[in-house]
Amino acid sequence: MAHEEATDASPQELLERAWTIAGRHRSAFLATIDGHRPHLRPMAVTVEPDTRSLFFLTSASSSKIAQIARSPDVVVAFGDESANDYVTFTGPAVVSNDRAKIKDLFTVAAKAWWDSADDPDIRLIHVSPQQAELWDGPHRLVAATLMLAAAVTGAKPAIGDHAKVPI
């Protein structure tokens, strides 16, 4: 584990914080490689810390399918500016037609794209993260106060933790 700032948290505690941050979100940014360039897009996500999994529903005709087939390593990013908490998960993605899992994950919001969980166009993207990187800081007001104090004193502010954690 590499730390950018000192932290007393154990790798397990950091990993739990990473999953907690992610679990507060219904959407995330999924980054794939499109040719030689990263392609980042917001998507609805299901976070399952117990299985250390991230799931997305997509269309079979989506360009993400081919991008993942060519380069399965992806990045999934979550951010909460008001809480000053951010986390990314990096790892391989697999696309499947797991109808049972698709039905399990299908929500009312998914009806914006598909009529039902039985739509044959739906595919499942399963990301199995191998690493989490988190930036976990104080809420905005506390962070602003720390930065103001640092500006006045000339010292660098100690604002939260930054760590990479293997999964």
Side-chain angles (χ1 to χ4, degrees):
M1 174 178 66
H3 295 279
E4 295 294 321
E5 295 184 29
T7 179
D8 293 329
S10 71
Q12 184 59 36
E13 290 169 326
L14 290 168
L15 191 55
E16 287 175 17
R17 282 168 47 192
W19 284 111
T20 297
I21 293 168
R24 292 193 304 247
H25 298 274
R26 291 189 180 132
S27 62
F29 283 94
L30 173 65
T32 58
I33 300 297
D34 185 8
H36 297 290
R37 297 181 180 178
H39 184 145
L40 190 70
R41 81 277 285 154
M43 293 185 69
V45 65
T46 299
V47 177
E48 291 188 357
D50 293 341
T51 62
R52 295 185 173 184
S53 298
L54 303 167
F55 293 100
F56 301 90
L57 298 179
T58 193
S59 293
S61 59
S62 170
S63 61
K64 293 181 286 301
I65 305 286
Q67 291 163 5
I68 290 169
R70 283 191 302 272
S71 181
D73 287 326
V74 301
V75 177
V76 181
F78 299 87
D80 184 347
E81 185 178 358
S82 65
N84 205 19
D85 293 334
Y86 305 89
V87 65
T88 61
F89 291 93
T90 307
V94 175
V95 177
S96 76
N97 193 18
D98 181 341
R99 303 316 297 177
K101 191 65 175 176
I102 289 169
K103 285 183 183 186
D104 182 46
L105 299 177
F106 196 83
T107 64
V108 173
K111 288 182 96 43
W113 289 273
W114 305 283
D115 291 332
S116 75
D118 296 320
D119 189 318
D121 183 50
I122 304 173
R123 293 298 180 270
L124 179 69
I125 298 173
H126 177 199
V127 179
S128 300
Q130 295 175 336
Q131 178 177 284
E133 186 168 5
L134 68 109
W135 298 262
D136 187 7
H139 291 276
R140 253 201 224 162
L141 183 58
V142 173
T145 302
L146 290 170
M147 291 190 317
L148 180 60
V152 170
T153 65
K156 294 195 186 237
I159 302 181
D161 294 326
H162 173 221
K164 293 181 183 178
V165 186
I167 296 177

